[in-house]
Amino acid sequence: VQTLARCFTAMHCVTWRVNFRGVGASEGVYDDGRGELDDFRALAAHARADTPGLPLMLGGFSFGGYVVSRL
């Protein structure tokens, strides 16, 4: 995911890298994918509002890939 973010940034794409709830310095606790899906849905909505008209590409690794595939 870090490599994808670096590549997208190098291509002048707007990128966000996030930790799911309870990971690193993020707040909250693991929610078996339900709350994490809500978190990622909120990020996608923010990205769309912040950069209207630009394509939205989502990616993730392991659990993040699972959450993205459900979104």
Side-chain angles (χ1 to χ4, degrees):
V1 174
Q2 291 175 340
T3 300
L4 285 173
R6 276 191 231 111
C7 289
F8 286 140
T9 299
M11 295 178 352
H12 306 288
C13 297
V14 178
T15 60
W16 285 275
R17 280 184 32 214
V18 299
N19 284 332
F20 287 109
R21 52 182 64 200
V23 176
S26 64
E27 295 181 2
V29 294
Y30 174 69
D31 192 31
D32 201 30
R34 292 178 299 273
E36 292 83 3
L37 179 58
D38 291 340
D39 295 344
F40 215 94
R41 186 176 287 121
L43 170 67
H46 173 78
R48 287 226 183 260
D50 193 57
T51 55
L54 293 180
L56 179 63
M57 297 174 275
L58 305 173
F61 177 76
S62 191
F63 179 71
Y66 166 75
V67 173
V68 167
S69 72
R70 295 199 49 217
L71 182 60

